[in-house]
């Protein structure tokens, strides 16, 4: 159980904001949990971003919290008597702002090497010639498909976008990489195309947002590939290898495979490790199965909804989700959920889409065996 290896060295609030935890692993390795505040308002709350300092022979930091949290994270490290100068590098789990937003502030204090997947390095840049026309020309490629309203991105994103342009990234290529002795990264796209998990000493795996307790991480869409294909280059020319729900399930199955290979793996997620006054211990094989089941159920429920009549994504979302989840930002997230599942249902042959973006049933019912047949990569 996670509680048995966790020593709270600084209390936080009831959701774990700014608590500090020392995890002592069987090999003697210590990992510090450094959760920083991450709340945008509205009805969706992931809880704080859990950043981790891995106190290995070459110590490193995984993730930096959201934009504006870098100074706080520096203070938290100070409290544990860790100077930024002690860190060999910062590793970014994926290109969401709640994980890389604090980077510029940290680097302002001390210039540390930053490592991330090579897709991250490509997608944080601005490409005015390739960007969708209009205001997106000044957005990094990773934000081209984002549907957040102007009020949201004006408040949270514009300065952050600019700061990303100055980052120098040391790229991690390929699927599996031993970046230090005993430290292996795994490219596990699906939640984002650049998602990395990192396993240390075969006893702990830090998974970012690939797998979370209590929450099902939102998957990408295969169709998002089209907008960024020009900037990804020829190394990444097959959309389904880095985007979409099928790829996400494949990454989950890879985590399941690692769990079988290393049965005692401790899992440290990017959110909700501690939330509402309780710890969430992750039993990896169980959580992998729960998340895959969740997607099977959601596909089944979309099929049931479509039995009534053909519908658009927002019509399905209206029937599938509680109304309070469809307010503000939630509406975009809900449509994304429906579309990612419909893409899978189109691949399994159960659903088809017409030119006016209406989904309808084909009469087939293959999705469960289709999801079963997805291989771990
Ligand atoms: Zn994320
Ligand atoms: Zn996150």
């Amino acid at each position: 159980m996670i509680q048995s290896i966790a020593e709270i060295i600084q209390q936080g609030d009831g959701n774990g904001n700014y608590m500090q935890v020392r995890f002592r692993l069987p090999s003697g390795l210590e990992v510090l949990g450094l959760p920083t505040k991450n709340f945008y308002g509205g009805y969706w709350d992931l809880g704080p971003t859990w950043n981790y300092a891995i106190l290995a022979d070459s110590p490193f930091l995984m993730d930096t919290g959201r934009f504006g949290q870098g100074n706080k994270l520096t203070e938290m490290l100070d409290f544990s008597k860790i100077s930024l100068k002690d860190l060999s590098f910062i590793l970014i789990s994926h290109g969401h702002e709640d994980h890389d937003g604090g980077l510029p502030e940290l680097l302002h204090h001390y210039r540390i090497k930053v490592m991330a997947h090579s897709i991250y390095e490509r997608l944080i840049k601005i490409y005015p010639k390739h960007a969708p026309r209009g205001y997106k020309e000044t957005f990094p490629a990773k934000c081209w498909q984002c549907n957040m309203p102007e009020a949201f991105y004006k408040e949270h994103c514009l300065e952050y976008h600019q700061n990303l342009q100055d980052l120098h990234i040391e790229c991690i290529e390929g699927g599996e990489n031993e970046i230090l002795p005993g430290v292996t990264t795994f490219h596990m796209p699906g939640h984002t195309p650049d998602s990395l998990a990192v396993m240390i000493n075969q006893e702990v795996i830090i998974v970012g947002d690939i797998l979370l307790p209590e929450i099902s991480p939102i998957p990408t869409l295969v169709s998002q590939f089209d907008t960024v294909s020009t900037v990804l280059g020829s190394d990444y020319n097959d959309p389904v290898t880095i985007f979409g729900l099928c790829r996400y399930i494949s990454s989950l199955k890879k985590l399941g495979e690692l769990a079988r290979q290393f049965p005692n793996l401790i899992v440290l997620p990017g959110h909700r490790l501690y939330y509402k006054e309780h710890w969430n211990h992750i039993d990896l094989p169980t959580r992998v199965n729960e998340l895959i089941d969740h997607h099977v159920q959601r596909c089944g429920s979309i099929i049931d909804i479509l039995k009534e009549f053909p519908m658009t994504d927002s019509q399905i979302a209206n029937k599938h989700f509680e109304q309070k989840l469809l307010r503000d930002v939630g509406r975009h997230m809900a449509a994304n959920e429906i579309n990612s599942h419909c893409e899978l249902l189109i691949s399994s042959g159960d659903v088809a889409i017409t030119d006016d973006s209406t989904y309808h049933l084909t009469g087939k019912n293959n999705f469960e065996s289709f999801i079963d047949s997805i291989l771990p990569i």
Side-chain angles (χ1 to χ4, degrees):
M1 283 291 147
I2 194 77
Q3 295 91 315
S4 64
I5 60 159
E7 178 201 350
I8 298 179
I9 49 180
Q10 173 84 316
Q11 291 291 344
D13 71 8
N15 287 342
N17 285 295
Y18 306 128
M19 81 196 287
Q20 288 197 45
V21 193
R22 188 183 302 273
F23 299 102
R24 289 179 205 277
L25 294 144
S27 69
L29 175 75
E30 291 188 1
V31 175
L32 288 181
L34 306 163
T36 49
K37 199 159 195 162
N38 171 40
F39 186 61
Y40 302 84
Y43 289 89
W44 299 72
D45 177 30
L46 296 171
T49 303
W50 279 77
N51 315 287
Y52 297 97
I54 295 87
L55 308 180
D57 291 341
S58 299
F60 63 98
L61 179 68
M62 180 128 171
D63 287 342
T64 63
R66 63 166 297 199
F67 188 54
Q69 292 297 308
N71 288 337
K72 188 72 197 171
L73 192 52
T74 313
E75 282 171 28
M76 291 164 86
L77 286 165
D78 278 351
F79 180 84
S80 291
K81 309 234 173 339
I82 295 162
S83 155
L84 291 175
K85 293 186 182 124
D86 301 333
L87 300 175
S88 305
F89 57 92
I90 297 174
L91 179 63
I92 297 297
S93 68
H94 66 297
H96 281 163
E97 180 259 353
D98 56 329
H99 297 261
D100 72 347
L103 256 181
E105 278 173 71
L106 286 172
L107 298 179
H108 183 76
H109 287 286
Y110 190 73
R111 206 83 204 159
I112 313 165
K113 179 164 86 174
V114 180
M115 297 182 83
H117 194 269
S118 60
I119 292 179
Y120 173 84
E121 197 262 343
R122 294 171 206 206
L123 293 184
I124 59 171
K125 300 279 190 296
I126 289 167
Y127 304 86
K129 287 205 181 96
H130 299 297
R133 286 186 186 281
Y135 66 90
K136 294 274 176 168
E137 283 168 23
T138 56
F139 280 33
K142 72 191 177 78
C143 304
W144 287 348
Q145 310 95 349
C146 179
N147 290 318
M148 293 302 184
E150 188 178 349
F152 183 91
Y153 70 71
K154 276 203 159 155
E155 186 183 341
H156 298 293
C157 307
L158 298 182
E159 200 184 335
Y160 161 70
H161 290 167
Q162 220 43 54
N163 278 313
L164 291 173
Q165 304 313 305
D166 302 325
L167 293 179
H168 173 75
I169 307 295
E170 190 160 314
C171 289
I172 297 173
E173 310 278 349
E176 194 172 322
N177 254 297
E178 191 170 22
I179 56 171
L180 287 174
V183 179
T184 305
T185 56
F186 297 89
H187 183 210
M188 295 188 173
H191 171 63
T192 61
D194 59 358
S195 292
L196 289 176
V198 62
M199 184 166 74
I200 306 126
N201 291 355
Q202 302 180 345
E203 63 180 348
V204 60
I205 188 160
I206 306 179
V207 292
D209 287 358
I210 302 163
L211 174 139
L212 299 170
E214 300 185 328
I215 303 172
S216 173
I218 195 158
T220 44
L221 299 173
V222 180
S223 61
Q224 289 171 344
F225 174 83
D226 296 339
T227 29
V228 293
S229 60
T230 46
V231 306
L232 289 178
S234 55
D235 291 347
Y236 300 98
N237 50 21
D238 185 1
V240 295
T241 58
I242 49 173
F243 280 100
L245 180 56
C246 290
R247 186 60 184 89
Y248 176 66
I249 290 172
S250 178
S251 292
L252 285 178
K253 290 190 177 185
K254 176 69 186 178
L255 281 176
E257 200 175 74
L258 289 173
R260 278 189 292 281
Q261 219 177 333
F262 308 107
N264 299 319
L265 261 189
I266 304 270
V267 184
L268 297 176
H271 303 278
R272 299 274 178 115
L273 182 58
Y274 182 91
Y275 195 67
K276 296 205 166 151
E277 320 275 354
H278 67 270
W279 287 99
N280 283 313
H281 175 83
I282 298 175
D283 178 66
L284 192 50
T286 308
R287 189 62 187 143
V288 165
N289 287 336
E290 281 171 3
L291 286 171
I292 294 173
D293 271 356
H294 162 82
H295 291 297
V296 170
Q297 301 297 332
R298 187 152 279 177
C299 285
S301 121
I302 290 172
I303 293 219
D304 283 344
I305 289 169
L306 284 175
K307 280 179 185 157
E308 221 178 309
F309 50 82
M311 288 181 213
T312 63
D313 54 0
S314 56
Q315 286 174 310
I316 301 171
N318 265 323
K319 288 187 181 278
H320 184 80
F321 293 100
E322 272 178 78
Q323 284 307 308
K324 73 167 188 185
L325 294 177
L326 296 171
R327 285 186 219 157
D328 310 323
V329 172
R331 194 159 45 88
H332 304 293
M333 292 167 98
N336 185 97
E337 272 295 300
I338 299 300
N339 285 318
S340 62
H341 288 80
C342 284
E343 279 185 348
L344 184 148
L345 288 165
I346 290 170
S347 300
S348 68
D350 301 348
V351 164
I353 185 165
T354 54
D355 291 343
D356 63 351
S357 300
T358 305
Y359 293 112
H360 61 88
L361 297 179
T362 61
K364 294 196 177 121
N365 198 355
N366 295 332
F367 72 90
E368 278 190 71
S369 55
F370 179 79
I371 289 174
D372 259 358
S373 70
I374 295 173
L375 297 171
I377 303 175

